[in-house]
């Protein structure tokens, strides 16, 4: 080191000189700085300014820059999009959206629309670098003059800044948010092109009526696509960013016209429209359409709500739940909804409900709200409406003496005729036009549900869960647990067929009592018609006529543990082995009953009931599908010479296919000559079963064809008697009949196919005995001889007529005499003698 050098060395002397010179220089600089600080006020001001800038930068860094989001996020930005739902024909039937959003590409935006927005919001957009400094300066001055007044200063934001606000930093009214917006705008201009920025802006800008982006707004205000907008309409949309919920209202129409015309003038000034075009546009009225929901052709509210529930369970509701959420993921959902069958199911069920309710008095309001200055808002908030003929939902505003005033959600009012005495102001009711005013219409208090299914796939084709889903979302097709009554009987009979009985087995239709223990005592069952005994009959007759006593006796002889196991296997319910369950005392839903009947029609093979076929994300990738079968080798480039690859069969075999067909064959008799005889004149291969529960509180019908299965029930939501005359054959079966008539071309004349292992044998319909003479008549209702389905070795043995037996005995006697004449001993019972021959005694081989 230099300090260690000897004092007399030249190097040491040079070091001391340099150090001394540095010290003198440092001392001189400090001295000059002190002198300047003390004598020059501008130096002091410059230092203060520098310190202030450093402190301010530190504050901005901590509060703004440090928390600034990355502009690169916009490169991969995925806007929240609604879920679009398609029917089984690929047509859009609905959407799940809390906001109207439609994404377009930049090339899809018409030039006049772009120029209208630039004229209104940012005329220097194509030339600035993200910030309009003159506009920003004006905004600062405006903010300073309004500070503390409670008024909001004008934004002075460019379109790039608005993109930063709408997507990255939010709409908080603060200086820090404005600083973030400015800083991000500069970064965005370096990341995205002008076209990309404008595309984001025009797709994301909030424009009122729950619409985001110009395409959604064009639909909301004009019921048009952006490509169909006229100049005055494009100019109107351009004024909305300033006050999106203001200019679309009737009472602000004058202000909206003034602002729209200003935009047109700006377009002329900027060279984006001629004066003649602007003047022509100014002469046009606003031309806004009334606010209304999306108009889709399918009225399938119950079906679509069930789909929505299932999608939320799978993917979540909001963006926080994942990228494929229902209300933000932009999913495309293909459902099994058949709009033709859905329309028929809705119409048929409604007609049945109205037919039953005809002539009944008004049963009370749909809902009740407060009738005050905001009655319109409360009626809108109730979200109650109806879509039936010309009916409307309104609220009683005042009344007396049978007449009053009705108000509607759009704010209009009118006279109300024929008010019941019990109707009061605040009651929400249904009305229809009548005599220059409105007349009360009665929404049926009774309700019900209907489900239609494809038995070969389990796909639900239609679902109606009440009179109208707009009156309430409770879906009686899937959520109402009701007793199925006699519609459960086919599965009792199926159990008997699996355990040794046949359709021709004879069962006593007589009084049946069972001791249930000391607490419950003895229980005696009875038939629906109150008759206690009706002789001995075949299983077929018992099922066709829905005989309770025969059913209970069959269940008891077969074993209730086996019966409830069959019922569980087909998915109806998990019941205790009580005999009452054989008569439909356990709760289930119409959806489960239809799926069980589908298994019968599909030879005992049951598919999981589905409403959704598959789901695609916003980019078209399939993220879920109902059919997950793997087909190994299906995508081979070349055939390898082996057997053709095939899918494994879907579903689960829940019943012997032969048993399933035997039940279906007997249930065809229910339609031909049984409790569902009302369907016989349809002249179609149909099977089915009616049901009526105690009370009667519910009436049912389930059945269909080889291709379509439907089930329907009717009853009050709070179960009570429907009246003594109510039966499934009188009320429910006609609903099914109307459904078939409205969709007749969809029903094939192809009969149910007979599976392997079933023998079709001619029997006497009444006795069940096998016959050979004659053929089944064309009039099946009156036929004495019918074809019956049997499993091998269970069919009745051959019977012989008396005259045939006399001829046989004469032949045997002749044989005996011939043997005696030849000196042969008489035949013995062993070794295949004539009398003892089994084949001979049974009348031959069958």
């Amino acid at each position: 080191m230099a300090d260690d050098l000897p004092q007399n060395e030249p190097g040491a002397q040079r070091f001391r000189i340099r150090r001394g010179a540095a010290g003198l220089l440092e001392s001189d600089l400090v001295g000059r700085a002190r002198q300047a600080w003390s004598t020059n006020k501008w130096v002091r001001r410059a230092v203060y300014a520098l310190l202030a800038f450093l402190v301010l930068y530190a504050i901005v860094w901590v509060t703004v820059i440090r928390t600034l989001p990355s502009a690169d996020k916009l490169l991969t930005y995925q806007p929240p999009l609604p879920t679009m739902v398609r029917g089984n024909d690929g047509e859009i039937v609905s959407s799940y959206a809390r906001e109207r959003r439609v994404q377009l590409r930049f090339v899809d935006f018409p030039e006049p629309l772009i120029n209208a927005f630039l004229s209104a919001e940012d005329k220097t957009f194509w030339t600035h670098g993200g910030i309009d400094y003159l506009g920003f300066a004006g905004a600062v001055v405006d903010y300073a003059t309004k500070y503390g007044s409670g008024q909001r200063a004008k934004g002075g934001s460019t379109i790039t800044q608005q993109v930063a606000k709408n997507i990255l930093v939010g709409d908080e009214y603060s200086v820090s948010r404005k600083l973030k917006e400015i800083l991000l705008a500069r970064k965005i201009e370096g990341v995205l092109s002008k076209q990309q920025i404008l595309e984001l802006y025009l797709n994301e800008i909030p424009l009122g009526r729950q619409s985001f982006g110009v395409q959604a707004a064009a639909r909301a205000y004009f019921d048009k696509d952006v490509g169909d907008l006229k100049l005055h309409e494009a100019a109107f949309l351009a004024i909305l960013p300033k006050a999106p919920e203001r200019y679309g209202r009737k009472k602000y129409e004058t202000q909206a016209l003034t602002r729209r015309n200003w935009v047109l003038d700006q377009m002329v000034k900027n060279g984006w429209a001629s004066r003649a075009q602007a003047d022509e546009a100014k002469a046009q009225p606003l031309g806004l359409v009334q606010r209304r929901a999306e108009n889709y052709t399918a009225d399938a509210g119950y079906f679509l709500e069930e789909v929505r529930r299932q999608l939320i369970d799978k993917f979540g509701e909001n963006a926080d739940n994942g990228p494929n959420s229902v209300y933000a993921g932009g999913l495309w959902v293909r459902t099994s909804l058949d709009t033709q069958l859905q329309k028929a199911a809705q119409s048929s069920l409604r007609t049945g409900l109205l037919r039953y309710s005809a002539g009944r008095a008004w049963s009370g309001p749909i809902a009740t709200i407060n009738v005050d200055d905001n009655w319109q808002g409360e009626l809108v908030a109730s979200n109650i409406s109806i879509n039936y003929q010309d009916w409307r939902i309104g609220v009683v505003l005042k009344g007396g003496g049978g007449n009053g005033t009705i108000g509607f959600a759009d704010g209009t009012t009118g006279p109300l005729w024929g008010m019941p005495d019990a109707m009061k102001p605040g009651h929400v009711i249904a009305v229809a036009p009548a005599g220059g005013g409105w007349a009360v219409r009665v929404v049926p208090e009774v309700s019900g549900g209907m489900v239609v299914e494809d038995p070969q796939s389990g796909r639900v084709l239609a679902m109606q869960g009440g009179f109208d889903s707009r009156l309430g979302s409770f879906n009686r097709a899937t959520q109402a647990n009701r007793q199925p009554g006699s519609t459960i009987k086919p599965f009792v009979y199926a159990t008997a067929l699996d355990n040794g009985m046949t359709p021709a087995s004879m069962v006593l239709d007589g009084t049946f009592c069972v001791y249930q223990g000391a607490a419950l005592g003895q229980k005696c069952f009875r038939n629906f018609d109150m008759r206690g005994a009706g002789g001995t009959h075949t299983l077929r007759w018992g099922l066709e006529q829905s005989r309770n006593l025969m059913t209970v006796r069959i269940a008891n002889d077969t074993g209730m543990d086996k019966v409830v196991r069959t019922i569980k296997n087909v998915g109806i319910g998990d019941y205790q082995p009580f005999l009452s369950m054989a008569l439909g005392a356990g709760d289930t839903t119409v959806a489960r009953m239809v799926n069980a009947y589908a298994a019968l029609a599909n030879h005992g093979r049951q598919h999981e009931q589905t409403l959704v076929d598959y789901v695609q994300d916003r980019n078209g990738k399939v993220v879920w599908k109902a059919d997950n079968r793997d087909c190994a080798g299906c995508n081979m480039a070349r055939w390898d010479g082996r057997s053709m690859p095939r899918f494994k069969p879907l579903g689960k075999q829940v019943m012997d296919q032969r048993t399933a067909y035997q039940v279906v064959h007997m249930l065809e008799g229910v339609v031909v000559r049984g409790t569902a005889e009302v369907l016989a004149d349809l002249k179609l291969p149909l099977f089915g079963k009616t049901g009526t529960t105690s009370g009667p509180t519910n009436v049912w019908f389930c059945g269909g064809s080889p291709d379509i299965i439907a089930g329907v029930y009717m009853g009050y939501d709070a179960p009570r008697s429907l009246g003594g005359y109510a039966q499934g054959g009188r009320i429910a079966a006609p609903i099914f009949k109307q459904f078939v008539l409205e969709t007749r071309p969809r029903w094939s004349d192809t009969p149910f196919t007979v599976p392997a292992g079933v023998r079709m044998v001619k029997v006497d319909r009444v006795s069940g005995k096998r016959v050979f003479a004659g053929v089944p008549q064309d009039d099946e209702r009156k036929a004495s001889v019918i074809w019956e389905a049997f499993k091998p070795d269970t069919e009745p043995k051959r019977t012989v007529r008396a005259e045939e037996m006399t001829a046989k005995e004469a032949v045997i006697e002749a044989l005996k005499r011939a043997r005696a004449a030849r000196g042969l001993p008489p035949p013995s019972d062993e070794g295949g003698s004539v009398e003892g021959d089994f084949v001979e005694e049974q009348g031959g081989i069958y």
Side-chain angles (χ1 to χ4, degrees), residues 26-36:
E26 180 182 355
S27 175
D28 184 54
L29 290 174
V30 171
R32 288 181 181 181
R34 287 176 178 174
Q35 183 179 3

Side-chain angles (χ1 to χ4, degrees), residues 189-440:
E189 292 278 347
V191 172
L192 302 179
S193 68
K194 287 289 188 179
Q195 289 80 1
Q196 289 174 315
I197 293 170
L198 201 53
E199 180 181 308
L200 281 172
Y201 174 77
L202 293 175
N203 278 323
E204 290 297 310
I205 185 72
L207 297 174
R209 294 196 179 183
Q210 295 180 302
S211 59
F212 287 75
V214 293
Q215 169 62 22
R219 276 290 173 189
Y221 290 99
F222 300 109
D223 197 22
K224 294 181 178 181
D225 294 322
V226 290
D228 300 324
L229 293 176
K230 297 181 179 178
L231 183 59
H232 71 279
E233 295 167 334
F236 171 82
L237 295 184
I239 74 174
L240 293 174
K242 296 296 184 187
E245 296 298 340
R246 179 186 179 92
Y247 289 133
R249 297 183 181 181
K250 183 70 175 176
K251 63 180 179 179
Y252 298 115
E253 182 175 354
T254 302
Q255 293 94 319
L257 283 168
T258 301
R259 179 71 178 173
R260 183 202 69 178
N261 293 343
W262 176 84
V263 170
L264 291 168
D265 288 336
Q266 290 298 306
M267 293 183 72
V268 174
K269 182 179 178 181
N270 296 329
W272 290 329
S274 68
R275 173 51 60 187
Q277 289 173 326
D279 290 343
E280 182 183 358
K282 284 182 179 181
Q284 302 298 323
L286 289 181
L288 307 184
V289 299
Q290 293 232 345
R291 185 189 298 251
R292 62 178 181 267
E294 294 288 352
N295 184 25
Y296 296 108
T297 56
D299 189 3
Y302 292 106
F303 185 104
L304 295 169
E305 175 60 17
E306 186 64 24
V307 170
R308 189 187 73 91
R309 291 191 187 107
Q310 293 183 11
L311 291 175
I312 288 177
D313 288 342
K314 287 183 177 74
F315 301 108
E317 186 171 358
N318 301 309
D320 294 340
N321 302 123
N324 295 323
S325 63
V326 172
Y327 286 101
L331 301 177
W332 289 87
V333 181
R334 176 65 72 95
T335 70
S336 54
L337 177 68
D338 187 305
T339 53
Q340 181 189 17
L341 297 182
Q342 174 63 38
K343 182 179 179 181
Q346 181 190 73
S347 172
S348 303
L349 182 60
R350 282 178 170 178
T351 301
L353 296 175
L354 289 168
R355 182 168 52 237
Y356 174 82
S357 300
R360 286 176 168 76
W362 182 69
S363 57
I366 299 169
T368 302
I369 63 174
N370 293 323
V371 183
D372 52 22
D373 293 338
N374 192 34
W375 62 265
Q376 181 187 359
E378 290 208 23
L379 184 58
V380 171
S382 71
N383 201 32
I384 298 173
S385 61
I386 197 168
N387 182 26
Y388 179 71
Q389 296 183 353
D390 55 359
W391 292 17
R392 293 183 68 182
I393 295 296
V395 58
V396 179
L397 299 178
K398 57 183 178 181
N403 298 323
T405 303
I406 186 82
F408 300 103
D410 60 3
T412 61
T413 61
L416 178 64
W417 316 126
M419 288 177 58
D421 293 337
M423 190 175 289
K424 305 295 180 185
H427 284 174
V428 178
I429 62 172
V431 295
W438 302 89
V440 177

Side-chain angles (χ1 to χ4, degrees), residues 7 10 15 27 48 82 84-85 98 112 229 258 291 307 314 342 404 589 808:
Q7 298 298 313
F15 176 75
S27 175
Y48 288 144
M84 306 303 296
V85 184
R98 296 193 176 110
L229 293 176
T258 301
R291 185 189 298 251
V307 170
K314 287 183 177 74
Q342 174 63 38
T589 66
K808 172 187 170 182

Side-chain angles (χ1 to χ4, degrees), residues 14 81 242 267 295 373 379 434 464 584-585 677 689 717 735 810:
R14 288 196 298 271
L81 292 176
K242 296 296 184 187
M267 293 183 72
N295 184 25
D373 293 338
L379 184 58
Q464 187 69 14
E677 190 179 354
K689 183 71 185 74
D717 287 342
I735 295 175

Side-chain angles (χ1 to χ4, degrees), residues 810-826:
V811 170
I812 293 175
E813 283 299 319
L815 289 173
K816 288 180 178 179
R817 288 194 297 271
R819 290 174 65 88
R822 295 197 302 268
L824 297 175

